[in-house]
Amino acid sequence: MRYVIIGAGAVGGAVGGRLAQGGCEVVLVARGKQYEALREQGLVLQTPDGPHTHRLPVVNGPEALGVLRADDVLVLSVKTQDSAAALAAWGPRPVDGGGTAAERLPLVCAQNGVESERLALRTFQRVYAMCVWLPAAFVEPGVVRADGTPLTGILHLGRYPAGADDTAREIAADLERCRLDAPVVADAMRWKYAKLLANLANSIEAVSGVLTSEEGIALFRRARAEGEAVLAAAGIAYTSPEEEQRVRADKIRFEPFDGSPRGGGSSWQSLQRGAGTIEADYLNGEIALLGRLHGVPTPVNDVLQERANEAAREGRPPGATSVTDLVAAVDARVARTVSGS
């Protein structure tokens, strides 16, 4: 198999780098400064077991890769707000022997949220869900940092909407040769919905800084409680924290290896890079959407979604708003919701 990593940022770079270390053939897809850096200096993957430089083929789009191979696996690791454009670009690409990528090739959604799989299934016939637990950060163009140890990440993988097959098992076998655990499960979305609940903290981190205060942690608990109520109303199953802990045990720990302070998650990193967009619509916004569909008010997640989008739109750095001010905005929205005004 050849792995085409569509979106060679933090997660895509870490997964692509580890696959390359395991002897797999990897092509990185990137844009702008990241594309230039990868092309000129290669991918530098910083990990607790040392820095690794991988000089891999890199392209800035499907046209540059030409006709795809029949053994290609497309790994979608862009942010969800960029999924539709990526799917439209890669789906029609011809595959050696006939047909298109959308008809013939497996597409793995290695992303936060739960929407990309559904978007992909509109055009791609072979879609796989991957729940990504992998602490990684985009350091600078060409450089990705992954702090997990002894494993770099745990990637639950299965067919979408459900099931497991030989392709999933082949992909998992490749991943597990290179410091990644990849359990193949028939219910990968159950793991992704649990990750969605955890990711409701992302907007708080982005807007008000890394969650270290009791005030910030309490706000996350309120957002998660809304999320749990919404999933219950929608009849959507998700793994419990106890099940996650049993499966992950001590396989992956976050241990900074050079004394650097820990940054925030993917949304925090989007503001730090000045990306101009953020994934809040597919995290807190997913809870808001399901709440409206099933008659459950979601004022906490509504405010977090709005404030995160506002910060991205206005180019604010992460942590520009105090958690006290953010809590006040949430409390005001909750009061209006309760009063019906």
Side-chain angles (χ1 to χ4, degrees):
M1 289 179 166
R2 180 177 71 169
Y3 292 89
V4 181
I5 311 293
I6 304 169
V11 168
V15 172
R18 284 307 201 194
L19 281 169
Q21 273 183 266
C24 295
E25 192 174 357
V26 175
V27 176
L28 302 176
V29 183
R31 298 177 297 179
K33 292 181 180 179
Q34 177 73 340
Y35 165 71
E36 296 295 338
L38 293 171
R39 190 177 63 170
E40 292 172 9
Q41 68 188 36
L43 169 67
V44 179
L45 178 59
Q46 299 175 344
T47 68
D49 57 287
H52 307 275
T53 299
H54 302 282
R55 295 198 170 273
L56 303 170
V58 56
V59 297
N60 59 4
E63 294 79 8
L65 195 55
V67 175
L68 297 172
R69 290 175 11 187
D71 66 341
D72 279 341
V73 175
L74 305 182
V75 179
L76 189 64
S77 53
V78 299
K79 294 291 196 300
T80 303
Q81 62 266 28
D82 298 319
S83 288
L87 292 167
W90 287 89
R93 297 305 302 170
V95 177
D96 186 35
T100 66
E103 291 175 303
R104 295 186 56 195
L105 299 184
L107 176 88
V108 179
C109 295
Q111 302 159 284
N112 285 336
V114 295
E115 179 65 14
S116 282
E117 288 84 358
R118 187 170 181 269
L119 289 171
L121 202 62
R122 291 179 181 274
T123 50
F124 278 79
Q125 296 185 27
R126 300 172 64 195
V127 177
Y128 295 79
M130 177 180 281
C131 180
V132 178
W133 287 90
L134 193 162
F138 179 93
V139 178
E140 61 184 54
V143 181
V144 169
R145 177 187 175 102
D147 288 296
T149 187
L151 294 177
T152 297
I154 300 177
L155 313 171
H156 283 78
L157 174 67
R159 192 77 185 251
Y160 180 80
D165 60 15
D166 288 342
T167 297
R169 285 183 277 272
E170 288 177 41
I171 294 169
D174 283 343
L175 292 166
E176 291 183 345
R177 284 199 291 268
C178 46
R179 292 181 183 258
L180 295 165
D181 191 17
V184 175
V185 293
D187 57 352
M189 293 307 294
R190 193 168 67 95
W191 292 87
K192 293 202 73 165
Y193 274 102
K195 178 76 183 302
L196 171 66
L197 291 175
N199 285 145
L200 298 180
N202 285 24
S203 290
I204 305 173
E205 280 193 334
V207 173
S208 299
V210 177
L211 288 182
T212 55
S213 70
E214 284 300 321
E215 194 174 19
I217 293 169
L219 181 57
F220 165 59
R221 289 182 181 135
R222 293 170 68 184
R224 183 182 174 107
E226 277 187 1
E228 291 175 348
V230 162
L231 295 185
I236 295 173
Y238 57 92
T239 54
S240 68
E242 293 75 20
E243 182 177 1
E244 293 177 340
Q245 182 58 35
R246 284 197 303 272
V247 170
R248 296 192 177 100
D250 208 25
K251 293 179 181 178
I252 179 168
R253 302 184 304 275
F254 177 86
E255 292 186 3
F257 49 87
D258 61 1
S260 299
R262 182 177 185 178
S266 54
S267 299
W268 186 95
Q269 293 174 44
S270 291
L271 292 190
Q272 185 186 44
R273 295 198 312 273
T277 63
I278 199 165
E279 58 194 339
D281 287 347
Y282 301 98
L283 302 177
N284 308 92
E286 181 69 28
I287 298 303
L289 169 62
L290 288 171
R292 290 166 197 148
L293 288 173
H294 296 279
V296 179
T298 59
V300 177
N301 283 284
D302 290 344
V303 171
L304 296 180
Q305 178 187 7
E306 292 164 9
R307 292 303 179 94
N309 280 326
E310 183 181 88
R313 192 167 55 247
E314 296 181 0
R316 297 178 196 162
T321 299
S322 73
V323 70
T324 299
D325 288 346
L326 184 57
V327 170
V330 167
D331 287 343
R333 182 67 61 84
V334 170
R336 290 200 300 273
T337 301
V338 170
S339 68
S341 61

